[in-house]
Amino acid sequence: MLRTIFLLSLLFALSNASVQDFCVANLKRAETPAGYPCIRPIHVKATDFVFSGLGTPGNTTNIISAAVTPAFVAQFPGLNGLGLSTARLDLAPKGVIPMHTHPGASEVLYVLDGSITAGFVSSANAVYVQTLKPGQVMVFPQGLLHFQINAGKSSAAAIVTFNSASPGLQILDFALFANNLPTELVVGTTFLDATTVKKLKGVLGGTG
C-alpha cells in the first residue's frame, strides 16, 4: 500500500513539475557540472539571446595563422542549459586549427568561404579527411581528434556548432609542448627525440 501511495505521489509531482523555458547564465556565479545558475527571469533581456561576435573575422596573426571566435555560454549567456553553442573559424592562407578534441560535444562545421581540408581520427585509428567548399558541412564525433587546414590560397572561414554549451577544448600540440611536462616523459611517450621536443617546447612556450 505504501509503495502504491509513493508511486502515485511521484507521478503527481512529475506531472506538476515546473518547466523552465530558459536559464540565462549568471556569469558572476561559479559554473557547476549542470551549468551556471540562472538569472532571475525578471532580469532577463532580449539581448541575452543575441550574440554579434561571429560577424567579424578573427585575428589570424599568430603561430597557427587562424582564429576561433567562440560563442559558448561564457560569451553567450542565453545558451546556458540549452545544450548547444557555436563559434567562427578564420584561417589565413596556410592557416591551421591543429589536432584537437572536444571532450564534451560533437561538432558540425559549415564552410562559409574558401576551401578547408578537415578530418578526424577514429578510436580505431581510421582516418576520415575531406576538402570542403562553401556550403558543405562535415561532422566530427564527440571526443575524437580532428583538425582543419586552409586548403586554398585565400582566406577561409567557417561556422561550427556543438551539442553542448561548454564543449571543452584540448589541443594536442599544446598538451604535449606548451606546459611543464618534462622532456624525458614526452620523449618516452611520443618516440620523438629530445632535440625535437625541446624545439617544440621553445616554439609553444613550454618548459621542462
Side-chain angles (χ1 to χ4, degrees):
M1 182 68 178
L2 290 175
R3 183 178 179 183
T4 302
I5 293 174
F6 172 77
L7 290 174
L8 289 173
S9 299
L10 180 62
L11 289 171
F12 179 80
L14 290 174
S15 66
N16 287 277
S18 62
V19 177
Q20 281 187 285
D21 292 329
F22 48 79
C23 175
V24 175
N26 183 348
L27 299 179
K28 295 180 180 179
R29 303 279 298 277
E31 186 177 15
T32 72
Y36 285 92
C38 308
I39 293 175
R40 292 177 60 190
I42 193 172
H43 298 305
V44 173
K45 306 179 296 296
T47 53
D48 291 322
F49 303 101
V50 178
F51 182 77
S52 302
L54 302 188
T56 303
N59 182 4
T60 58
T61 307
N62 52 57
I63 192 171
I64 61 174
S65 298
V68 178
T69 304
F72 299 164
V73 67
Q75 297 82 28
F76 192 1
L79 293 176
N80 192 46
L82 299 182
L84 53 88
S85 57
T86 188
R88 175 184 174 125
L89 305 184
D90 288 284
L91 299 103
K94 299 184 180 180
V96 57
I97 305 296
M99 278 283 189
H100 64 283
T101 180
H102 302 289
S106 296
E107 173 184 344
V108 174
L109 178 143
Y110 173 81
V111 178
L112 296 172
D113 299 300
S115 177
I116 297 175
T117 297
F120 65 89
V121 182
S122 75
S123 57
N125 290 322
V127 179
Y128 302 89
V129 178
Q130 185 70 36
T131 297
L132 307 170
K133 304 297 183 183
Q136 289 189 299
V137 174
M138 186 169 183
V139 64
F140 307 94
Q142 180 174 340
L144 297 184
L145 285 167
H146 59 285
F147 65 91
Q148 292 94 20
I149 299 175
N150 188 336
K153 296 182 179 180
S154 60
S155 296
I159 296 293
V160 294
T161 55
F162 304 92
N163 61 337
S164 170
S166 299
L169 171 66
Q170 185 171 40
I171 299 175
L172 181 59
D173 293 343
F174 292 177
L176 290 172
F177 308 114
N179 53 37
N180 62 352
L181 185 63
T183 294
E184 59 268 25
L185 291 181
V186 179
V187 169
T189 56
T190 64
F191 307 109
L192 296 172
D193 62 83
T195 300
T196 300
V197 172
K198 290 178 180 179
K199 180 180 179 180
L200 290 169
K201 279 179 170 287
V203 170
L204 296 176
T207 60

